[in-house]
């Protein structure tokens, strides 16, 4: 069964500090992995996409990594800001005969405090 | 501006009533999806449609119904048969075929509360 596990479930950090969120998956056959940011009461917005051949990709203060061998991804946030407070969702895509199937992680809820 | 519009944002329903959540997109996307989000859980797929007048059940379709009469619209009806309908509902769309990145674009969500 395809699964995506995220850790930690929740995290509190002080403004200006860095943090790293983890995503482990058992999805096959792997197609790509996306990180989404979801503000409270809003819809998720894509931050970055990682394909099989990519190890690292940055989007401003967000840096995602992918280790396809160990089936792990991380999202590193540098110099956190209050606006980074949100849930971060890891979504892994598998390609099979039925098309592109998505498996969602449960998310990490990040709170940045002043 | 292009995007996905969900309405209403908040909805209250008495037990035994059906309610319909609206989802409209002007992104010219072929595929549209409905997800349910509960606290601490990943998004779960209710229904999806890849072409007009056709749709498929997702993982938790029981108690829900949809229609796809127009490319732009994919309304979701939460029926009285849904045992635990209180949740946050998200509509999404995606372009299919070459040139599309496979990114899901989400609406702002509809929060349904059953009283």
């Amino acid at each position: 069964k395809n699964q995506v596990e995220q850790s930690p479930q929740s995290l509190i950090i002080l403004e200006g500090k860095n943090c790293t969120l983890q995503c482990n998956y058992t999805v096959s056959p792997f197609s790509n992995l996306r990180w989404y940011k979801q503000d409270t009461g809003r819809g998720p917005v894509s931050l970055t996409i990682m394909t099989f051949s990519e190890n690292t990709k940055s989007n401003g203060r967000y840096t995602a990594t992918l280790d396809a061998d160990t089936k792990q991804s991380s999202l590193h946030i540098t110099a956190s800001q209050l606006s980074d407070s949100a849930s971060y969702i890891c979504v892994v895509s598998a390609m099979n005969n039925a098309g592109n199937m998505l498996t969602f992680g449960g998310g990490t809820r990040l709170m940045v405090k002043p | 501006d292009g995007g996905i519009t969900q309405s209403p944002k908040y909805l209250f329903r008495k037990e035994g009533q059906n309610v319909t959540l609206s989802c409209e997109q002007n992104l010219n996307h072929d595929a549209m999806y409905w997800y349910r989000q509960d606290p601490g859980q990943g998004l779960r797929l209710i229904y999806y449609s890849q072409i007009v007048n056709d749709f498929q059940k997702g993982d938790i379709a029981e108690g829900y119904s949809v229609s796809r009469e127009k490319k732009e619209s994919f309304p979701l009806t939460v029926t009285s048969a849904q045992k635990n309908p209180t949740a946050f509902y998200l509509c999404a769309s995606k372009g299919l075929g070459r040139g599309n990145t496979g990114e899901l674009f989400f609406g702002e969500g509809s929060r349904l509360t059953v009283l």
Side-chain angles (χ1 to χ4, degrees):
Chain A
K1 180 182 177 182
N2 289 339
Q3 285 188 312
V4 176
E5 299 288 339
Q6 291 187 243
S7 63
Q9 278 193 327
S10 61
L11 181 63
I12 301 174
I13 62 174
L14 293 176
E15 186 178 11
K17 298 296 186 182
N18 303 337
C19 67
T20 300
L21 314 180
Q22 299 289 345
C23 173
N24 297 341
Y25 61 92
T26 55
V27 174
S28 182
F30 177 84
S31 178
N32 60 64
L33 182 150
R34 285 186 185 271
W35 283 94
Y36 283 83
K37 178 186 179 186
Q38 184 179 21
D39 292 319
T40 300
R42 309 288 295 274
V45 175
S46 178
L47 289 174
T48 185
I49 178 173
M50 305 292 290
T51 57
F52 187 85
S53 59
E54 294 174 311
N55 299 120
T56 304
K57 184 176 285 187
S58 292
N59 177 6
R61 295 180 296 102
Y62 300 102
T63 299
T65 66
L66 176 66
D67 186 333
D69 292 329
T70 61
K71 298 186 178 182
Q72 296 180 325
S73 176
S74 66
L75 181 68
H76 185 77
I77 303 175
T78 304
S80 61
Q81 299 176 359
L82 298 179
S83 60
D84 292 331
S85 295
S87 289
Y88 292 83
I89 302 171
C90 177
V91 184
V92 183
S93 174
M95 185 64 73
N96 56 29
N97 293 335
N100 195 288
M101 305 303 294
L102 302 178
T103 304
F104 289 80
T108 292
R109 192 172 185 86
L110 174 66
M111 182 178 295
V112 180
K113 290 192 168 184
Chain B
D1 289 348
I4 300 179
T5 301
Q6 287 187 240
S7 63
K9 179 73 172 175
Y10 300 96
L11 185 59
F12 297 88
R13 186 194 93 176
K14 293 182 180 180
E15 283 192 21
Q17 288 182 334
N18 293 354
V19 293
T20 298
L21 309 180
S22 170
C23 179
E24 303 277 335
Q25 55 98 359
N26 60 4
L27 300 167
N28 199 32
H29 284 168
D30 293 302
M32 297 187 73
Y33 306 80
W34 274 105
Y35 291 93
R36 171 180 171 139
Q37 187 174 36
D38 294 286
Q41 295 189 36
L43 273 67
R44 291 183 290 169
L45 182 63
I46 304 173
Y47 268 99
Y48 67 100
S49 168
Q50 294 184 309
I51 194 170
V52 173
N53 292 323
D54 189 44
F55 47 82
Q56 284 76 43
K57 293 182 178 180
D59 301 317
I60 56 166
E62 185 176 352
Y64 300 98
S65 66
V66 294
S67 63
R68 188 87 186 275
E69 297 178 1
K70 299 185 301 181
K71 186 177 184 178
E72 302 79 17
S73 179
F74 192 42
L76 172 74
T77 297
V78 184
T79 75
S80 57
Q82 168 51 233
K83 300 301 182 187
N84 185 21
T86 295
F88 190 56
Y89 291 89
L90 284 162
C91 180
S93 71
K94 184 173 71 171
L96 300 177
R98 291 191 175 189
N100 289 291
T101 64
E103 178 181 350
L104 272 180
F105 290 82
F106 287 89
E108 291 295 279
S110 294
R111 185 167 298 281
L112 172 63
T113 302
V114 175
L115 305 174

